[in-house]
């Protein structure tokens, strides 16, 4: 079971990044890119999981590493431009937000998944900053409120003798666009890319609320086995105390749309994180009574 879900596509999924396991988060995007192929194992399951090698997670530092392929990320098309990659079929793309529907991209309760794109598609947080914590990249930006909570969590981990590292944070629409495009190029089609990377406008990393963490020594960075490291275990147990949830838990890809990503955390505020922890609810969709989003 573990292996099965291993590969996931962080919503943020950055193809490039992910890729290889051991790829140091710092590795250059380009470098990564090359590895990507490895990662993306065609055999990968629908969620990108399943690949024999769990390591290839898509999310992978994605955030961190910009696009593997150094293509100039086409400036995000205007929000309206909708997702170029979107299948003709459709996606609820331009549906205007409505109160209480968890669609306000500036709210901590926004829910982004394969059935719930950001509105506008090229949304960008008004303010971002790099948390004052150990990072694997100098480009791990988060919303200020989230950055503060991350600092609090990392300090608490440190007090417990656990050294966490921030691997990636905010990813812009343009970055995700380039990342996704590089995966499409590698797979040859969107279907393959969708198993490991979120389409631009559908990545939780674009909200500034999500981030990926690692262990200071780089063990299992962006790989499912991170869950077995001291850092991964500490975070899984304590993240809720700081307002975070493990967004893509193992075994819930049919609901979240992505395979397990033991390193991807999402800020939801303590009210929600602690309520979910107390109730034993594993996914944000279930907690909020939203439909499952197994696919686009
Ligand atoms: Zn992530």
């Amino acid at each position: 079971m573990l292996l099965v879900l291993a590969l996931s596509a962080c919503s943020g999924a950055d193809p490039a990044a992910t890729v290889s396991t051991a790829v140091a988060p710092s590795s250059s995007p380009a470098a990564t890119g090359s590895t990507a192929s490895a990662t993306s194992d065609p055999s990968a399951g629908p969620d990108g999981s399943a690949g024999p090698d769990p390591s290839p997670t898509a999310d992978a530092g994605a955030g961190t590493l910009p696009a593997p392929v150094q293509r100039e990320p086409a400036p995000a098309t205007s929000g309206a431009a909708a997702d170029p990659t979107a299948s003709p079929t459709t996606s609820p793309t331009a549906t205007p937000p409505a109160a209480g529907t968890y669609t306000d991209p500036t709210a901590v309760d926004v829910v982004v998944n394969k059935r719930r794109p950001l509105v506008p598609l090229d949304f960008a947080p008004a303010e971002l900053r790099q948390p004052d914590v150990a990072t694997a990249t100098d480009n791990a930006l988060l919303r200020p409120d989230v950055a503060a909570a991350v600092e609090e969590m990392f300090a608490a981990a440190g007090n417990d003798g656990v050294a966490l590292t921030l691997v990636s944070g905010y990813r812009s629409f343009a970055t995700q666009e380039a990342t996704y495009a590089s995966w499409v190029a590698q797979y040859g089609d969107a279907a393959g890319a969708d198993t490991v990377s979120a389409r631009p406008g559908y990545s939780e990393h674009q909200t500034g609320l999500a981030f990926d963490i690692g262990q200071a020594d780089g063990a299992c960075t962006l790989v499912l086995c991170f869950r077995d490291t001291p850092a991964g275990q500490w975070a899984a147990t304590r993240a809720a105390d700081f307002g975070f949830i493990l967004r893509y838990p193992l075994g819930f890809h049919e609901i979240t749309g992505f395979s397990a990503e033991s390193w991807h955390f999402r800020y939801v505020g303590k009210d929600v994180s602690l309520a979910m922890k107390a109730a034993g609810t594993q996914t944000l969709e279930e907690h909020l009574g939203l439909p499952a989003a197994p696919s686009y």
Side-chain angles (χ1 to χ4, degrees):
M1 177 95 165
L2 303 180
L3 296 181
V4 178
L5 306 176
L7 196 183
S8 52
C10 196
S11 33
D14 189 353
T18 339
V19 186
S20 62
T21 352
V23 176
S26 52
S27 51
S28 73
T32 332
S34 52
T35 17
S37 51
T39 319
S40 28
D41 184 330
S43 56
D47 286 333
S49 33
D53 179 354
S55 49
T57 51
D59 177 28
T64 322
L65 321 173
V69 181
Q70 251 350 357
R71 50 188 76 191
E72 201 58 309
T77 22
S78 62
D83 179 344
T85 58
S87 60
T89 25
T90 96
S91 30
T93 313
T95 309
T101 55
Y102 314 108
T103 54
D104 178 356
T106 67
V108 297
D109 67 359
V110 65
V111 178
V112 179
N113 60 34
K114 292 181 174 179
R115 300 282 170 84
R116 301 172 59 88
L118 280 159
V119 180
L121 213 56
D122 62 351
F123 167 79
E127 191 179 352
L128 293 166
R129 79 170 173 85
Q130 173 115 2
D132 184 19
V133 299
T135 62
T137 170
D138 58 359
N139 189 35
L141 304 176
L142 293 169
R143 283 174 34 154
D145 50 344
V146 181
V150 163
E151 289 165 349
E152 197 182 334
M153 179 172 81
F154 276 46
N159 289 336
D160 287 348
V162 175
L164 300 179
T165 298
L166 184 60
V167 177
S168 72
Y170 168 70
R171 270 204 296 277
S172 70
F173 177 91
T175 295
Q176 192 65 30
E177 191 172 50
T179 294
Y180 181 76
S182 69
W183 279 111
V184 171
Q186 290 181 49
Y187 275 99
D189 59 38
D194 286 340
T195 65
V196 296
S197 178
R199 296 176 183 177
Y202 290 77
S203 172
E204 196 171 61
H205 279 276
Q206 198 179 316
T207 64
L209 297 168
F211 56 93
D212 302 321
I213 61 172
Q215 184 160 276
D217 62 5
C220 296
T221 298
L222 303 177
V223 181
L224 188 61
C225 64
F226 174 69
R227 69 201 293 269
D228 299 319
T229 65
Q233 295 184 326
W234 187 94
T237 303
R238 299 294 312 284
D241 297 331
F242 305 91
F244 302 110
I245 58 169
L246 180 61
R247 185 69 175 92
Y248 306 115
L250 185 64
F252 290 85
H253 57 288
E254 288 296 337
I255 294 175
T256 66
F258 290 100
S259 296
E261 294 191 359
S262 55
W263 56 89
H264 178 107
F265 287 84
R266 150 74 195 272
Y267 185 71
V268 291
K270 293 181 183 178
D271 288 346
V272 172
S273 64
L274 293 176
M276 287 177 65
K277 184 175 185 177
T281 306
Q282 298 291 303
T283 69
L284 193 53
E285 284 81 1
E286 293 171 296
H287 177 72
L288 299 176
L290 298 174
S295 61
Y296 288 102

